[in-house]
Amino acid sequence: MLPLLCAAASAVPAGARSLIAIGEWITDAPQSALEVLDFPAEPLTGVHPVPHPATVRRLLQRLDGDAPDAAIGALLQAGGVHPSESERSAKPVPRAIAVDGKTVRLDHPGARQAIQTVRWRRDRSTGKLTIERVYLITGLDTYDATAVQLATWIRGHWGIENLLHHVRDRTFREDDSKVRTGHLPRTMAGLRNLAILIFRQNGHTNIAAALRHTGRDHTRPLRILGLT
């Protein structure tokens, strides 16, 4: 299972946008890449056979959605900033958590406030004005979360939207995905997040260009994932 998961994680930064594309990347991978990914070899020939694309789908469908998230968390902890002693001992403050509504559906029995945010955006190249209304909820009441605090958290979430969700929608065409079964939507989103965050940590600002560059050589995704 681990070799197949590593192969799926390698295929996405190489430009694979779908389960079919992940299967095709694995099928086209040279024997040297399959060896690095630890696919078992035939005892007589030494050849590393690749799994059928349906096997890839079944594995990712059964995969716990927490696995890609745990991998991302480990990556960020390894390359991120660790809090100082004073920060660790400081009084905890409320933390905003964003949930991607396209891949997760939740009820909110603890909601205390509902917020409507109106966003005005103008495309500088065309001059087109877009007005978007976004609705949010919070479990904090008006005494625990003021309008200023809520606005700050919302702006912070918009930064996350630009960093991850926007790239997934525009570059990976996530909105066009037909994947709806089991944990697949969350797993695919996690694999895309992992690819985006690795590219960001490596200094890439144009994710589409990074995908094209990585996809031209089967060894490049293995290298950026630390597998070689």
Side-chain angles (χ1 to χ4, degrees):
M1 180 178 289
L2 183 59
L4 205 51
L5 180 57
C6 290
S10 301
V12 174
R17 296 178 179 175
S18 65
L19 289 170
I20 293 176
I22 289 175
E24 291 173 345
W25 186 91
I26 297 173
T27 299
D28 293 339
Q31 287 291 304
S32 57
L34 296 175
E35 183 177 3
V36 171
L37 291 167
D38 206 23
F39 278 93
E42 295 286 353
L44 295 179
T45 64
V47 174
H48 301 269
V50 297
H52 191 276
T55 304
V56 178
R57 183 182 184 91
R58 285 196 299 269
L59 167 70
L60 296 181
Q61 189 171 337
R62 295 199 313 266
L63 185 66
D64 184 350
D66 289 336
D69 293 343
I72 294 171
L75 174 69
L76 292 177
Q77 184 163 356
V81 178
H82 300 281
S84 64
E85 185 65 33
S86 61
E87 290 172 328
R88 286 194 296 267
S89 60
K91 181 180 178 181
V93 296
R95 184 165 57 96
I97 299 176
V99 176
D100 186 355
K102 293 189 291 297
T103 59
V104 179
R105 297 291 185 267
L106 296 173
D107 293 326
H108 303 279
R112 295 292 180 269
Q113 292 189 72
I115 307 107
Q116 182 194 70
T117 301
V118 181
R119 294 173 178 156
W120 298 63
R121 291 181 294 180
R122 186 179 297 277
D123 189 322
R124 294 183 179 180
S125 60
T126 64
K128 180 180 178 180
L129 177 66
T130 302
I131 302 175
E132 179 185 28
R133 285 178 172 81
V134 179
Y135 296 90
L136 309 97
I137 60 172
T138 177
L140 300 175
D141 59 29
T142 54
Y143 297 100
D144 295 323
T146 65
V148 174
Q149 289 174 314
L150 291 171
T152 300
W153 291 334
I154 292 169
R155 283 193 294 269
H157 170 66
W158 187 240
I160 297 173
E161 180 76 21
N162 287 333
L163 184 67
L164 292 176
H165 305 320
H166 180 76
V167 176
R168 290 196 339 237
D169 289 342
R170 293 298 182 90
T171 305
F172 285 100
R173 299 293 183 186
E174 188 171 78
D175 283 347
D176 297 334
S177 175
K178 306 302 181 185
V179 172
R180 296 289 184 271
T181 308
H183 297 295
L184 279 176
R186 183 178 173 190
T187 298
M188 291 298 295
L191 292 174
R192 292 169 185 137
N193 286 343
L194 180 61
I196 295 167
L197 290 171
I198 287 176
F199 285 141
R200 296 291 191 197
Q201 285 196 343
N202 288 342
H204 294 282
T205 56
N206 188 325
I207 301 301
L211 289 170
R212 292 193 297 271
H213 173 78
T214 308
R216 289 195 290 269
D217 186 337
H218 269 80
T219 65
R220 287 174 180 168
L222 306 180
R223 194 158 51 245
I224 66 173
L225 287 170
L227 299 176
T228 59

